[in-house]
Amino acid sequence: MRTVVLTMKASVIEMFLVLLVTGVHSNKETSKKIKRPKFTVPQINCDVKAGKIINPEFIVKCPAGCQDPKFHVYGTDVYASYSSVCGAAVHSGVLDNSGGKILVRKVAGLSGYKGSYSNGVQSLSLPRWRESFIVLESKPKKGVTYPSALTYSSSKSPAAQAGETTKAYQRPPIPATTAQPVTLMQLLAVTVAVATPTILPRPSPSAASTTSIRRPEPVGHRSQEMDLWSTTTYTSSQNRPGADPGEMDSWKPGSVLLDEGRVPKEELSTQSLEPVSLGDPNCKIDLSFLIDGSTSIGKRRFRIQKQLLAGVAQALDIGPAGPLMGVVQYGDNPATHFNLKTHMNSRDLKTAIEKITQRGGLSNVGRAISFVTKNFFSKANGNRSSAPNVVVVMVDGWPTDKVEEASRLARESGINIFFITIEGAAENEKQYVVEPNFANKAVCRTNGFYSFHVQSWFGLHKTLQPLVKRVCDTDRLACSKTCLNSADIGFVIDGSSSVGTGNFRTVLQFVTNLTKEFEISDTDTRVGAVQYTYEQRLEFGFDQYSSKPDILNAIKRVGYWSGGTSTGAAINFALEQLFKKSKPNKRKLMILITDGRSYDDVRIPAMAAHLKGVITYAIGVAWAAQEELEVIATHPARDHSFFVDEFDNLYQYVPRIIQNICTEFNSQPRN
C-alpha cells in the first residue's frame, strides 16, 4: 500500500513539474510577443472644454479654426476650465488658427480671471472658478506617460460625438490572476486530495465601499490610472435612500461639491487636484539672470552667487500667473541652463539652481547680453506677450568685452537691464578695464534704479529684498515696450497750394500734438517728416533728433512749400527715404495728412507700404477723396482713415488716433 501511495505522489510531482516548465516556456513566448503600445495623440474639437476632461495632464491635437469667437475662453495665461481648450491655446500663442498639438496641465482654481485680446481671440473675465489650466507646447516630460485616450466626465461628451479618442467612466476590470513561482517543497506538500482545482468567485465591487485595485506595472513606473483606481468609491444604487431600483451602479472618483447655481452640470469635476501655486500676479515678469561663471570668480563666490539666485526664486513666488525665471551663465560664451518655462514653481527652480556648476573662462558680458536679446526671450522659451522682459546681470569686477552696443539693442527690444557689480576694479586695476563706466552704459536708465554696487561678496545677500522689489515694480520698468515708446513714426504732410500758409501751420500743430504723446529717444519712439507737392522733401529723418524738445522744435521750423498734390509719389518717397532706415524691431507708422485728391495713382504705392509692414493712417481734410483715404489706410480702414471737414477740427482726432495706435499695439505680441 505504501508503495502505491509513493508511486501516486511521484506521478503528481512529475505532472506538476511538466506543467510548471510548460507554463514558464509559455510565459516567455508571450512576453516576447508583447510590444509597448505606440502613443497616439487624441484629437478634440474646438468646442471641448477643459472641465470635461478628467485627466490632470494630457497632450491633444486641436483642429484649425479655433480662433472663432463662438468658442469661449475665460482668463489670460491661466484659464478657467470652463474655457475651450483649443481656443485658449490660440489665445495664449502656443497655437495659431491652423491648429496643432498642445500640452494641457490642470491647476487650482482662481478667485478671478481677467479677459484680454490676444492673437485674434478675445477672452472673457470670470469672477471665480473651481479649476484652471495652462497650455504649453506639446513637448512631453521624460518619464511621464500621457494618455492615448482621454477620460471624460460624461459618456455623452461632445467630444465623443466628434469621433475623437475618448474614454467614458467605467468600472475597471478585475485583472486575471498572475501565476506565481512554485517551489519544489511546495510541490512535495501536494496530495491527491487537493489535485482538483478550485475556482474562487470574483468579489463584487458593491461588496465594499472602497476597493483598491492594482495592475502589474513596469518597474519604476507609476501609473496615473492606478492612483485614480486606488481612491475609487463604488456606490450601489441599492444602498442609497430614494434611489431608483432600476438605476445602474455609478462609479465616481471623489466628487467635488460646488456652489449651487454657479457651475453648469457638464462642468462637474471628478478630479481632485493638489494645490499648486500659480505665482504672484502682482509681479508678472519674464526674468533672466545672467550669472558670472568666469574663472576669476572662484568656487566660493560662485556658490554665494547661486545663494542669491535661490533667495530670489523663493521670494518671487514663481508660477504661470506670476513671475517666470531662467538662468544663463556666461564665461567665454553664454549658455542657457534653463528657460522661462522649464520650472513653474519656486521649489523646482531652487533645486535646479543648486545643480548649476561653474563653466570658467573670461567675463564676456556684452556677448552674453547679445545672446539673451536674440535667443532667450522667444515664444519657444516661454516668453509671454503680457509680461515685461527683465535681465539681471551679475558681474565680478569688470567685463572683458564691451557692453554698450549690445545693451542698446537689448533696450530697443524692450528689455529692462539691471546690473549688480561686485568688488569693482581697484585703482591699480583700472587700466585693465575694457570699457569704463560700463554699468551706466548698459542699464535701462541711469537714475540709480537699475544699478547695484556691492563692495564685498559677503554683502551680496543685502541686495535680495531691494532687487525683488524693483524688478516687480512693473510701472517703473521704463524699457518695456509700449505703444508709446516702440515705433518709428513718419509724417507725410501735404504742402500743396490749396492748403495755404495758415492751414499749414494748423497741420504742423496737429503733428506736434500727436508727437507729444510719445516717448522720444534714440532707443524709444523716433520721428521723421516728409513734405510733398508735385515733388517731395525730407524735412528730417528718424536718426536726426533723439529728444522730444528737439523734435518739437524741428516741426516748428518746417516751411510751407506750395504746389500740386502727388500723394502716390510721396508715399514711395517716404518708403525709400524714411522707412528704409527704420530699425527692424520698431513698429513702422506712417501718418499722412492731405486736403485733396491726388494727381497720381495711390493704389500701388499704398500696397507697397502695406507689404513692407508699414501701418498707414490717412487723414483727409476738406476736399480729400474718401475712397482714396480708404485705399491708403491699413485694413480695417475704419480704424486707420479719418475725414475732417475743416483744418481747425484736426485737434479733435488726436486722442482717437492715439487710442487706435495703442489698441492695435496691445492686440499683438509685445516682445
Side-chain angles (χ1 to χ4, degrees), residues 390-429:
V390 179
V391 170
V392 177
V393 185
M394 302 184 68
V395 183
D396 173 44
W398 60 90
T400 53
D401 64 349
K402 292 187 176 182
V403 302
E404 184 174 14
E405 180 62 19
S407 300
R408 183 183 66 80
L409 293 173
R411 293 194 301 271
E412 289 179 356
S413 299
I415 298 173
N416 297 272
I417 299 179
F418 288 77
F419 254 63
I420 302 176
T421 55
I422 307 102
E423 298 181 1
E427 196 62 38
N428 61 342
E429 295 175 323

Side-chain angles (χ1 to χ4, degrees), residues 128-194:
R128 65 187 179 90
W129 205 253
R130 49 122 192 101
E131 183 186 65
S132 310
F133 68 99
I134 57 176
V135 184
L136 305 169
E137 291 184 350
S138 60
K139 292 183 179 179
K141 286 185 178 180
K142 292 183 179 179
V144 177
T145 302
Y146 295 93
S148 295
L150 301 177
T151 304
Y152 286 83
S153 60
S154 170
S155 60
K156 295 180 180 180
S157 164
Q161 298 173 9
E164 66 267 23
T165 309
T166 64
K167 188 199 297 179
Y169 279 150
Q170 297 174 351
R171 292 181 188 169
I174 306 297
T177 304
T178 305
Q180 299 295 325
V182 182
T183 64
L184 182 61
M185 291 300 295
Q186 290 171 321
L187 287 174
L188 291 173
V190 176
T191 63
V192 178
V194 296

Side-chain angles (χ1 to χ4, degrees), residues 234-255:
Y234 292 92
T235 306
S236 173
S237 61
Q238 297 174 356
N239 297 330
R240 283 182 284 141
D244 183 354
E247 183 182 0
M248 292 182 64
D249 293 349
S250 61
W251 172 71
K252 298 181 185 177
S255 297

Side-chain angles (χ1 to χ4, degrees), residues 95-106:
L95 290 184
D96 56 26
N97 201 35
S98 61
K101 298 177 184 177
I102 56 170
L103 191 154
V104 178
R105 183 178 300 154
K106 298 285 190 70

Side-chain angles (χ1 to χ4, degrees), residues 202-334:
R202 293 185 181 182
S204 170
S206 61
S209 62
T210 305
T211 304
S212 180
I213 303 172
R214 299 189 64 83
R215 284 184 176 179
E217 290 288 337
V219 176
H221 175 76
R222 177 171 177 164
S223 171
Q224 294 177 352
E225 199 169 19
M226 185 185 298
D227 292 341
L228 185 65
W229 290 350
S230 64
T231 58
T232 300
T233 300
Y234 292 92
T235 306
S236 173
S237 61
Q238 297 174 356
N239 297 330
R240 283 182 284 141
D244 183 354
E247 183 182 0
M248 292 182 64
D249 293 349
S250 61
W251 172 71
K252 298 181 185 177
S255 297
V256 180
L257 295 178
L258 303 169
D259 297 338
E260 185 177 357
R262 299 285 296 182
V263 184
K265 289 182 179 179
E266 69 270 15
E267 278 299 294
L268 291 176
S269 174
T270 58
Q271 179 68 37
S272 60
L273 298 169
E274 295 182 4
V276 178
S277 173
L278 299 177
D280 181 5
N282 297 316
C283 182
K284 188 176 179 181
I285 59 171
D286 288 344
L287 171 64
S288 171
F289 257 92
L290 267 176
I291 62 173
D292 191 340
S294 59
T295 304
S296 62
I297 193 175
K299 292 183 179 180
R300 185 179 183 183
R301 289 179 287 185
F302 188 78
R303 188 166 59 252
I304 295 172
Q305 186 177 214
K306 291 202 302 178
Q307 290 170 356
L308 176 69
L309 263 66
V312 170
Q314 182 64 45
L316 283 179
D317 186 15
I318 300 297
L324 296 178
M325 177 174 156
V327 175
V328 174
Q329 183 181 169
Y330 67 88
D332 291 336
N333 294 296

